[in-house]
Amino acid sequence: MWDYSEKVQEHFFNPRNAGAVPDANATGDVGSLSCGDALRLTLKVDPENEVILEAGFQTFGCGSAIASSSALTEIIKGMTLNEALEVTNQDIADYLDGLPAEKMHCSVMGREALQAAIANYRGEEWKDDHEEGALVCKCFAVDAVLIENTIRSNGLSTVEEVANYTKAGGGCSACHEGVEAILSRVLAEQGKTFDPYTRAPEAAPSAGGRKLGNLERIRRIERSIEAIRPNLQRDHGDVELIDIDGKNVYVNMTGACVGCQMASTTLDGIQQRIVEDLGEFVRVLPAKAMRKSA
């Protein structure tokens, strides 16, 4: 399982400022249920000095999303709107004594919700830049601007890091070429060269943690998939494990899951379950992707 800090666990089990703020005069919505994460941030702002008096959140997502949203509301209370705009996703992670690399996208979502709420208060239109041609990752609706800004502000250099921070590329992998192009351009501006074969640095294991052996790793992946199958079978679909190649887990969708419009969302759900059970980043791909890469 993830090596969560005590502060992350505290904000997950006892979230601060959960729920909508009564008489809020600012609201920010980001994400979508179909993409797996959604956050609504509500604020009560003093119109005389633009100080944030109250902040509340409603979120659909994992424990890290809840903890990040809770932390954000605590950070910004008492700030002016201009001060709050200076809050970064790294500030949110630092407040929680760190987040697992694979969960950094939760802090990015919090920052975006804050920007959207402040724009709403000021009567401005907050745009997420999901304009025609700007959408890079269709699985999670992540645009080029968010990817580029996140790369720059967090010093990212690999596709895996981008997936950890934004979820882009964590689904079907069709957008990896687009993510690599953005990485190449940003790193070139910094006098660096993008190497597609460079791996993201692995987080140090926790004090009581240990690295899984290959056999135990395979068994955990198998158990994760077996736990998901009954839900798919109830809808006349199914999934079977085909192969495991490093960080790639290849599965075959059958029955009603074949050609389903929600297939990519289903794969993301399988991937999230495996990642949570395994405690490491993996990518779940359809078996046909294995044949293409062969």
Side-chain angles (χ1 to χ4, degrees):
M1 299 298 290
W2 301 120
D3 186 12
Y4 290 117
S5 70
E6 290 185 6
K7 206 162 184 180
V8 169
Q9 296 179 58
E10 168 64 20
H11 277 266
F12 170 60
F13 289 114
N14 299 289
R16 280 62 159 177
N17 312 303
V21 172
D23 302 320
N25 52 6
T27 302
D29 291 305
V30 295
S32 69
L33 297 181
S34 63
C35 296
D37 291 301
L39 170 61
R40 168 170 287 182
L41 181 69
T42 51
L43 308 175
K44 187 172 183 179
V45 181
D46 187 334
E48 293 187 3
N49 52 22
E50 291 197 333
V51 170
I52 298 173
L53 304 175
E54 295 182 50
F57 75 93
Q58 296 163 285
T59 188
F60 175 85
C62 62
S64 293
I66 295 172
S68 295
S69 302
S70 173
L72 173 63
T73 58
E74 289 289 276
I75 292 171
I76 63 176
K77 282 194 300 183
M79 286 185 171
T80 65
L81 296 185
N82 286 336
E83 290 171 340
L85 282 173
E86 298 298 317
V87 173
T88 67
N89 69 284
Q90 190 61 53
D91 291 331
I92 299 171
D94 290 344
Y95 184 89
L96 292 168
D97 294 335
L99 283 168
E102 295 84 352
K103 295 296 182 179
M104 283 298 293
H105 63 269
C106 297
S107 63
V108 174
M109 186 170 66
R111 182 196 64 191
E112 284 199 310
L114 176 59
Q115 293 171 338
I118 293 176
N120 174 254
Y121 174 81
R122 291 176 169 173
E124 302 168 353
E125 182 182 359
W126 182 78
K127 295 183 179 180
D128 55 12
D129 296 294
H130 291 174
E131 299 175 0
E132 188 67 29
L135 197 63
V136 176
C137 177
K138 295 182 179 179
C139 293
F140 300 110
V142 184
D143 61 86
V145 172
L146 174 60
I147 293 173
E148 180 172 339
N149 289 344
T150 305
I151 290 171
R152 292 183 186 280
S153 60
N154 295 280
L156 309 185
S157 60
T158 69
V159 173
E160 184 176 336
E161 288 176 327
V162 171
N164 291 341
Y165 277 69
T166 68
K167 298 184 75 174
C172 69
S173 77
C175 65
H176 282 194
E177 185 175 343
V179 174
E180 289 179 353
I182 297 173
L183 279 166
S184 296
R185 175 166 53 80
V186 173
L187 291 177
E189 293 174 4
Q190 299 172 352
K192 303 175 184 177
T193 302
F194 170 67
D195 181 358
Y197 301 103
T198 299
R199 298 179 63 87
E202 295 187 7
S206 58
R210 61 183 179 84
K211 187 175 181 180
L212 297 179
N214 288 334
L215 183 58
E216 185 176 357
R217 185 172 181 267
I218 292 171
R219 285 176 176 169
R220 287 202 183 188
I221 293 173
E222 290 175 334
R223 287 198 297 269
S224 298
I225 291 177
E226 285 301 314
I228 292 170
R229 291 185 65 205
N231 293 329
L232 299 179
Q233 291 168 346
R234 279 195 291 269
D235 291 328
H236 308 290
D238 207 347
V239 61
E240 60 178 333
L241 176 64
I242 300 300
D243 195 13
I244 302 171
D245 182 13
K247 296 286 186 181
N248 294 337
V249 177
Y250 296 97
V251 300
N252 187 38
M253 310 295 289
T254 60
C257 291
V258 178
C260 173
Q261 293 182 347
M262 297 294 290
S264 63
T265 302
T266 302
L267 285 175
D268 175 55
I270 296 172
Q271 175 173 302
Q272 184 168 336
R273 174 60 185 264
I274 293 175
V275 167
E276 291 282 356
D277 291 347
L278 204 58
E280 65 173 272
F281 176 82
V282 296
R283 184 174 296 112
V284 175
L285 303 169
K288 62 182 180 182
M290 178 175 63
R291 293 191 290 271
K292 289 181 181 179
S293 63

